[in-house]
Structures are given as C-alpha cells and as structure tokens.
C-alpha cells in the first residue's frame, strides 16, 4: 500500500524527496580537523602550513574562523599511508 500524499503533491515531488541525500561539507573548521586527526587544535594551527594545508580565514580578529578543504585533508592523509 502506498503512503498517502497531499492532494497537491505530484508523484515527481514524492520521488525527488526520497532521492535527496545529505550533502558533505566542503570545508572543515580547525576543531573538526583536529578531531578527525585525533590531534589538538593548536597542533592543526601550528602544522597546517607545514603539511601543505591551506587555511581560509573568515572574519577578523578573535572571532576569525579558519577553514580547510575536506578534500585536501583526505589527500594529505592518503600521502601518510604506510605501504
């Protein structure tokens, strides 16, 4: 038996709502990177440029947020793989 739908809702609306997927974020903040790598945020700030991770600064002063591209984090991790 099919679920009941709103009379104004078309079949394509129902189908597309079932197909929606969660979107992975492109950018990660410093605390997310630190948690993923099991390191401290101060380590991420200190080592990011040495690791080739480019940060994107949003905001000014103490409230500024540094974000990193998720793909670059995973690329760096792959380079650390032991063969």
């Amino acid at each position: 038996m099919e679920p009941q739908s709103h009379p104004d809702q078309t079949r394509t609306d129902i189908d597309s709502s079932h197909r929606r997927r969660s979107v992975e974020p492109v950018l990660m903040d410093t605390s997310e990177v630190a948690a993923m790598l099991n390191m401290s945020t101060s380590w991420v700030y200190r080592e990011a440029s040495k690791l080739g991770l480019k940060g994107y600064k949003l905001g000014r002063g103490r409230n500024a947020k540094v974000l990193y591209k998720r793909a670059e984090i995973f690329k760096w991790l792959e380079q650390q793989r032991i063969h």
Side-chain angles (χ1 to χ4, degrees), residues 2 9-20:
E2 277 193 88
Q9 196 174 23
T10 65
R11 184 70 189 153
T12 55
D13 290 339
I14 295 168
D15 290 343
S16 65
S17 68
H18 288 290
R19 288 187 213 145
R20 288 188 188 131

Side-chain angles (χ1 to χ4, degrees), residues 31-73:
S31 62
E32 291 172 323
V33 173
M36 187 178 89
L37 299 177
N38 200 26
M39 303 301 274
S40 68
T41 54
S42 60
W43 182 88
V44 174
Y45 281 121
R46 187 177 59 249
E47 300 294 322
S49 64
K50 295 176 192 173
L51 303 175
L53 302 176
K54 295 176 184 164
Y56 299 87
K57 185 177 176 182
L58 300 178
R60 293 187 195 161
R62 295 178 63 132
N63 294 328
K65 200 170 201 176
V66 179
L67 303 174
Y68 302 91
K69 284 188 178 178
R70 184 178 209 86
E72 288 180 4
I73 306 293

